[in-house]
Amino acid sequence: MDARLIGRRIGYWRDRRRLTQADFGALMGGRTARWVQMLESGARQADPRLSVPEDSARVLRIPLEWLLRDGPEASSVDAVEPEAIRAVLQRHDVIPPRPPRRRARACPGPRQRPASAASPHR
């Protein structure tokens, strides 16, 4: 287990849950924002205890495996997001149509002066 990767994943999911470091720390049992900052940087896990990632996963409402697994993320959408997206979309009855594009006016040829408007100075 690489503490830096776990910390980065915790920070990623904390941001996705729109939690500040102070809010996340409070949900983690009254920890400080500095503690969370150290956790996310990997400095806090010098002696990694499984209870910290377990508690983090519980608070973030994600499976523990998402914090611990090695390799690329399989999916960036979790179970909470589709519901949030659906709620936002249902607030709007219809997406308004795009306004019609204005046609460019035909560019007239060079303007010619009428003969009566010719300059009197020659």
Side-chain angles (χ1 to χ4, degrees), residues 10-69:
I10 289 171
Y12 170 80
W13 286 104
R14 180 187 56 76
D15 284 341
R16 299 248 337 233
R17 297 294 184 251
R18 300 180 195 273
L19 293 171
T20 65
Q21 289 180 334
D23 292 339
F24 182 72
L27 293 171
M28 288 290 291
R31 305 291 185 165
T32 64
R34 177 72 180 138
W35 183 89
V36 175
Q37 184 180 22
M38 291 175 64
L39 173 68
E40 291 178 357
S41 70
R44 185 77 223 153
Q45 289 292 345
D47 70 4
R49 286 183 247 151
L50 193 55
S51 63
V52 173
E54 284 176 338
D55 291 344
S56 298
R58 179 186 48 77
V59 167
L60 296 169
R61 297 174 293 159
I62 60 172
L64 177 61
E65 298 82 41
W66 290 9
L67 297 178
L68 301 180
R69 72 172 166 220

